[in-house]
């Protein structure tokens, strides 16, 4: 008899009314599910990137994810089921997950939905063809702007740490310029805040460079 698959505990969203930026991953990893905290993988740099990009004013770790609303942030996933990797996720889970995320966006109305990984963008917009560069996208979600960040896993070979940090800093700049423009200056246009792709190496056809497709959790 086959051994039953291990059922991991659900991971609670951290979203409150007034959220400005909603971070979205594909689904929780095993350590995130077991600890009850988002982006808890040993190699994940999400929390370090938040601080180094000045999106948050102090160094924090995955154990501080309950504090995200203090700074206007929230975090959730497309698919709620925790897995060791995304290969076991089923097509219908993405369909259901897209509907649930859209409902959350419409309920909380964040100004921007930050998709953590090109794979997350493709999961939310399966009709999109061609390359996907980090930064502000032409697509919107429930009236919210869509911003793509590189996968923050240390196993992600598609983007260097410097490139990933640059994308987080672009989000920080976009947030400041668009919502709190200096006196006498209009808010920067969404088009002007697009984060350009790195010119160092050509992108693969899937929107990243050839390499790992590790999870962002």
């Amino acid at each position: 008899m086959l051994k039953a698959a291990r059922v991991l505990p659900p991971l609670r969203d951290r979203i409150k009314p007034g959220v400005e930026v909603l971070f979205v991953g594909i689904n929780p990893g095993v350590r995130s599910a077991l600890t009850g905290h988002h982006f808890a993988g040993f190699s994940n740099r999400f929390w370090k990137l938040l601080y180094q990009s000045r999106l948050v004013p102090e160094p924090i770790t995955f154990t501080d994810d309950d504090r995200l609303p203090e700074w206007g942030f929230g975090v959730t996933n497309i698919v709620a089921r925790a897995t060791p990797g995304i290969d076991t996720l089923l097509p219908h889970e993405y369909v259901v997950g897209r509907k649930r995320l859209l409902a959350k966006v419409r309920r909380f109305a964040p100004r921007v939905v930050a998709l953590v990984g090109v794979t997350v963008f493709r999961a939310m917009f399966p009709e999109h063809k061609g390359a996907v560069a980090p930064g502000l996208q032409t697509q919107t979600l429930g009236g919210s702007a869509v911003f793509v960040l590189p996968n923050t896993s240390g196993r992600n070979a598609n983007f260097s740490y410097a490139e990933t940090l640059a994308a987080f800093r672009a989000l920080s700049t976009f947030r400041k310029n668009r919502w709190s423009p200096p006196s006498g200056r209009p808010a920067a246009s969404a088009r002007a805040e697009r984060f350009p792709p790195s010119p160092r190496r050509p992108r693969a056809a899937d929107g990243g460079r050839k390499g790992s497709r590790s999870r962002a959790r």
Side-chain angles (χ1 to χ4, degrees):
M1 181 180 294
L2 293 176
K3 185 177 180 180
R6 182 183 186 185
V7 178
L8 293 165
L11 182 60
R12 177 174 56 85
D13 289 343
R14 270 64 169 180
I15 314 174
K16 290 185 178 181
V19 60
E20 295 181 349
V21 179
L22 179 60
F23 293 100
V24 181
I26 280 281
N27 77 309
V30 172
R31 190 162 187 257
S32 288
L34 293 178
T35 62
H37 296 287
H38 292 263
F39 297 106
F42 288 109
S43 70
N44 204 290
R45 289 91 56 91
F46 178 82
W47 304 101
K48 181 179 179 181
L49 287 157
L50 281 187
Y51 174 65
Q52 291 193 339
S53 63
R54 297 299 182 261
L55 282 164
V56 297
E58 61 188 79
I60 57 175
T61 72
F62 64 91
T63 60
D64 299 302
D65 58 1
D66 279 326
R67 297 185 60 196
L68 285 175
E70 292 181 21
W71 300 292
F73 302 128
V75 61
T76 186
N77 295 283
I78 297 176
V79 178
R81 182 168 69 94
T83 61
I86 66 172
D87 294 343
T88 59
L89 296 179
L90 304 174
H92 79 271
E93 291 183 283
Y94 287 108
V95 174
V96 173
R98 283 192 290 269
K99 293 178 180 178
R100 287 178 176 170
L101 178 60
L102 182 57
K104 292 174 187 178
V105 170
R106 286 173 173 165
R107 175 186 175 188
F108 290 101
R111 298 196 180 197
V112 61
V113 177
L115 306 178
V116 187
V118 170
T119 301
V120 184
F121 175 85
R122 293 197 180 281
M124 280 306 302
F125 299 97
E127 73 284 356
H128 179 85
K129 306 298 181 184
V132 179
L136 192 69
Q137 306 300 307
T138 58
Q139 293 87 346
T140 59
L141 192 62
S144 299
V146 172
F147 201 101
V148 170
L149 297 166
N151 184 317
T152 56
S153 169
R155 299 190 298 272
N156 179 14
N158 294 330
F159 295 91
S160 68
Y161 184 82
E163 290 171 321
T164 304
L165 178 57
F168 272 74
R169 284 175 172 165
L171 175 60
S172 180
T173 298
F174 174 71
R175 184 189 187 197
K176 292 175 183 177
N177 289 351
R178 188 164 175 81
W179 305 333
S180 301
S183 177
R185 292 178 55 193
S189 69
R191 186 70 63 183
E193 291 297 327
R194 180 177 294 279
F195 179 75
S198 169
R200 295 194 311 152
R201 289 182 288 171
R203 302 284 177 186
D206 66 354
R209 296 194 184 94
K210 293 181 181 180
S212 169
R213 291 186 62 196
S214 57
R215 68 163 62 249
R217 310 302 294 154

